[in-house]
């Protein structure tokens, strides 16, 4: 099937993979001094144009969700789990925010940032910094111990932010950004990621200008942020296309996106960005983060895994998806942010079936009502087919459940039991094994 990204046009029908907008393939560099597998990021370039780098910000933006603060020990355990998952970049925190935050960044840089596995994988370790010398110095002091440290600098670019938050004019902002990126590279950072806060509400010509200037100053990755989650997928993709078409030097850096979920579109916008040529995406486990959260790692990764080859132009990641469910559970427990049962991929109901028609289909072939394999995300079912008995369940599901409990019935007996079961289920939300055994014994529940 033809790629959706190859055919689909956004806005004024600008092809996402037009000759002028595509990122040229770059030959793999086999002479890396320590063989980093984490997307094989060289200075500002991707070795494989189809590889999507996973930038996980669970420990930074994720923890900014109200009520989600975690202990240093919990955050260290999550960082270890993120490395097992195989994320390319772990944004640990904001080193200048506090001594505890600095200490954690330094510890993760020392321990996880040097733990190279047998395949040569070691995650980049990243810290956030405002565009100030003090923040950049603090970031370097904490991150320099990692095999591959990355600084994530940012400055606001919308007129609203510049006027009311920064109290700075456009050229002041450009000069600050340019000079601070140059300062970061002078300290020794080879990977300088620069984010445009509130980029989606910024003047486009100004966006092109400031990106060009920070690239000249040494930025190796440019991140376009939908900070308040206000964009629709088509306009977000168009912004990426326009940046690629109008910004000098953009082909020499990694283009990234950071999407918030205020309209419930963080995942959709991130995927639209990938279609437009973005090759690094900001995500969090369970989609946690400021306000309504961020793009969900599990949703992005599984979409790429299941539809990347067919509809997204052949993009892929190196995430070990079998660790997704364990990682999700850990973040849910440590952050205290409970998942809604119907959360895609990792919610309690994601692989559970209660209606009779669906249960009958699942008993015959799981593919009838499950597009994603539970095993692919490391989900272990309580029952083989994920069937939950309730008032909408059918006789086939009840028969299979009774066989699991060791009971076999003739059709007439099963019919009698089924109607008693339906009567019980009408008044009881959760049907237990003991309830079913009591029905057999004709006990009153």
């Amino acid at each position: 099937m033809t790629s959706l990204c190859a055919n689909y046009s956004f806005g004024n029908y600008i092809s996402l993979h037009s000759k002028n907008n595509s990122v040229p393939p770059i030959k793999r560099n086999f002479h890396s001094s320590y063989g980093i597998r984490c997307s094989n990021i060289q200075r500002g370039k991707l070795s494989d144009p189809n590889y999507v780098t996973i930038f996980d910000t669970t420990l930074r933006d994720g923890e900014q969700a109200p009520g989600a603060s975690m202990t240093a020990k919990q955050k260290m355990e999550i960082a270890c789990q993120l490395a097992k998952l195989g994320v390319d970049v772990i944004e640990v925190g904001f080193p200048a925010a506090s001594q505890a935050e600095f200490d954690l960044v330094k510890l993760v840089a020392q321990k996880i940032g040097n733990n190279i596995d047998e395949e040569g994988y070691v995650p980049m370790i990243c810290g956030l910094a405002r565009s100030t010398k003090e923040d950049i110095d603090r970031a370097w002091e904490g991150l320099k111990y990692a095999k591959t440290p990355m600084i994530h600098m940012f400055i606001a670019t919308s007129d609203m932010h510049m006027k009311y938050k920064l109290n700075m004019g456009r050229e002041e902002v450009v000069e600050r950004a340019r000079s601070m990126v140059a300062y970061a590279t002078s300290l020794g950072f080879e990977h300088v990621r620069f984010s445009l806060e509130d980029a989606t509400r910024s003047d486009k010509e100004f966006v092109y200008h400031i990106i060009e200037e920070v690239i000249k100053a040494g930025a190796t990755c440019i991140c376009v942020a939908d900070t308040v989650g206000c964009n629709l997928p088509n306009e977000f993709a168009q912004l990426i296309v326009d940046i690629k078409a109008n910004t000098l030097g953009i082909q020499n850096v990694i283009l990234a996106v950071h999407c918030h979920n205020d309209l419930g579109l963080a995942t959709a916008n991130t995927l639209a960005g990938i279609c437009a040529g973005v090759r690094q995406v900001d995500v969090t486990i369970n989609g946690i983060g400021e306000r309504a959260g961020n793009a969900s790692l599990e949703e992005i990764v599984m979409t790429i895994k299941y539809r990347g080859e067919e509809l997204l132009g052949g993009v892929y990641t190196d995430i070990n998806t079998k660790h997704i469910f364990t990682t999700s559970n850990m973040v849910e427990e440590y952050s205290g942010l409970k998942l809604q049962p119907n959360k895609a991929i990792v919610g309690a109901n994601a692989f559970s079936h209660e209606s009779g028609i669906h249960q009958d289909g699942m008993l015959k072939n799981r593919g009838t009502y499950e597009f994603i394999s539970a095993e692919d995300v490391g989900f272990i079912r309580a029952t083989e087919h994920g069937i939950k008995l309730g008032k909408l369940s059918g006789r086939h599901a009840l028969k299979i459940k009774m066989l699991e409990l060791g009971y076999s019935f003739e059709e007439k007996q099963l019919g009698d039991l089924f109607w008693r079961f339906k009567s019980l289920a009408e008044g009881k939300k959760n049907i237990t094994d003991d309830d079913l055994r009591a029905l057999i014994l004709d006990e009153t529940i």
Side-chain angles (χ1 to χ4, degrees):
M1 183 178 290
T2 306
S3 163
L4 174 68
C5 291
N7 283 339
Y8 198 79
S9 298
F10 293 90
N12 296 321
Y13 303 100
I14 297 176
S15 172
L16 297 185
H17 284 184
S18 68
K19 184 176 180 181
N20 292 333
N21 293 332
S22 62
V23 178
I26 296 164
K27 291 183 179 179
R28 186 182 300 273
N29 181 352
F30 289 102
H31 305 290
S32 169
S33 60
Y34 33 79
I36 298 171
R37 178 203 61 112
C38 56
S39 80
N40 299 301
I41 298 176
Q42 306 304 325
R43 185 174 178 81
K45 297 180 180 179
L46 281 172
S47 62
D48 185 341
N50 285 333
Y51 187 86
V52 176
T53 308
I54 301 299
F55 181 101
D56 186 276
T57 184
T58 302
L59 297 175
R60 201 276 300 170
D61 199 323
E63 197 192 24
Q64 290 175 203
S69 62
M70 295 172 274
T71 67
K73 181 176 183 295
Q74 289 172 332
K75 292 176 75 172
M76 188 67 184
E77 288 181 17
I78 289 173
C80 290
Q81 187 62 31
L82 291 172
K84 286 182 183 178
L85 196 60
V87 304
D88 301 289
V89 186
I90 301 175
E91 186 174 40
V92 185
F94 190 172
S98 69
Q99 185 63 44
E101 193 83 347
F102 173 84
D103 291 342
L104 178 70
V105 170
K106 181 178 178 180
L107 183 62
V108 172
Q110 291 172 327
K111 303 297 184 183
I112 298 174
N114 287 280
N115 187 22
I116 305 173
D117 72 10
E118 63 277 4
E119 295 181 358
Y121 162 75
V122 60
M124 281 191 169
I125 306 301
C126 181
L128 186 70
R130 292 165 296 193
S131 295
T132 67
K133 283 189 174 183
E134 295 77 15
D135 278 21
I136 296 167
D137 285 340
R138 197 65 167 156
W140 174 248
E141 287 304 311
L143 292 164
K144 65 183 180 182
Y145 301 96
K147 209 70 169 166
T148 319
M150 173 189 279
I151 187 169
H152 179 194
M153 300 169 56
F154 71 97
I155 201 163
T157 56
S158 68
D159 288 334
M160 180 183 295
H161 276 241
M162 289 187 287
K163 178 179 180 180
Y164 293 106
K165 188 179 77 171
L166 299 179
N167 194 28
M168 295 171 68
R170 288 188 178 187
E171 284 311 309
E172 289 179 285
V173 167
V174 171
E175 178 54 35
R176 172 73 66 82
R178 180 198 301 119
S179 62
M180 290 301 99
V181 167
Y183 181 68
T185 62
S186 75
L187 292 181
F189 279 112
E190 294 185 6
H191 300 280
V192 179
R193 187 180 203 255
F194 191 85
S195 281
L196 284 71
E197 186 183 16
D198 208 23
T200 52
R201 295 193 294 176
S202 301
D203 175 71
K204 282 189 179 181
E205 293 297 328
F206 181 61
V207 166
Y208 310 149
H209 176 50
I210 191 169
I211 292 176
E212 287 178 4
E213 293 303 314
V214 296
I215 290 174
K216 289 178 191 174
T220 58
C221 176
I222 299 297
C223 180
V224 179
D226 186 19
T227 302
V228 295
C230 64
N231 264 195
L232 300 185
N234 64 328
E235 64 179 327
F236 189 67
Q238 189 65 56
L239 173 61
I240 300 302
V241 169
D242 290 344
I243 288 171
K244 291 178 65 180
N246 294 286
T247 307
L248 293 176
I250 196 68
Q251 73 278 6
N252 298 319
V253 300
I254 298 165
L255 191 55
V257 292
H258 180 100
C259 297
H260 277 270
N261 204 40
D262 298 70
L263 291 176
L265 294 171
T267 292
N269 285 338
T270 300
L271 292 170
I274 291 171
C275 276
V278 162
R279 288 299 179 263
Q280 184 173 108
V281 293
D282 289 20
V283 293
T284 62
I285 302 298
N286 300 338
I288 67 173
E290 285 274 8
R291 302 181 314 280
N294 294 277
S296 158
L297 178 145
E298 56 275 9
E299 293 171 15
I300 296 295
V301 166
M302 295 309 291
T303 300
I304 291 173
K305 181 180 178 71
Y306 276 79
R307 307 309 304 272
E309 181 65 34
E310 180 186 16
L311 291 177
L312 298 176
V315 297
Y316 68 99
T317 76
D318 263 343
I319 295 297
N320 184 343
T321 62
K322 292 186 184 297
H323 287 291
I324 283 177
F325 204 77
T326 297
T327 311
S328 170
N329 285 344
M330 178 182 287
V331 170
E332 180 183 27
E333 178 184 349
Y334 288 173
S335 70
L337 300 177
K338 298 301 179 185
L339 285 173
Q340 71 262 33
N342 62 326
K343 169 71 173 68
I345 315 298
V346 291
N349 292 348
F351 299 101
S352 183
H353 307 271
E354 187 167 328
S355 84
I357 294 173
H358 286 226
Q359 290 175 341
D360 182 62
M362 284 293 296
L363 290 166
K364 292 170 179 173
N365 185 310
R366 290 185 189 176
T368 55
Y369 288 104
E370 283 187 2
F371 172 66
I372 294 170
S373 166
E375 291 74 18
D376 272 356
V377 296
F379 178 77
I380 300 173
R381 300 175 190 271
T383 62
E384 182 183 356
H385 297 91
I387 286 174
K388 183 180 185 299
L389 293 182
K391 68 178 184 178
L392 300 178
S393 297
R395 169 185 309 243
H396 190 182
L398 178 63
K399 179 181 179 180
I400 296 300
K401 180 61 180 177
M402 299 314 293
L403 286 172
E404 289 177 0
L405 294 177
Y407 300 99
S408 179
F409 298 94
E410 299 291 338
E411 282 303 311
K412 184 179 184 306
Q413 291 175 306
L414 180 64
D416 292 341
L417 179 67
F418 177 68
W419 291 114
R420 281 188 283 133
F421 159 75
K422 293 289 273 189
S423 177
L424 171 66
E426 284 290 342
K428 197 170 192 293
K429 185 180 288 288
N430 296 309
I431 306 298
T432 68
D433 291 353
D434 286 340
D435 291 332
L436 297 174
R437 293 188 182 97
L439 279 178
I440 296 168
L441 297 172
D442 202 22
E443 293 181 2
T444 302
I445 305 301

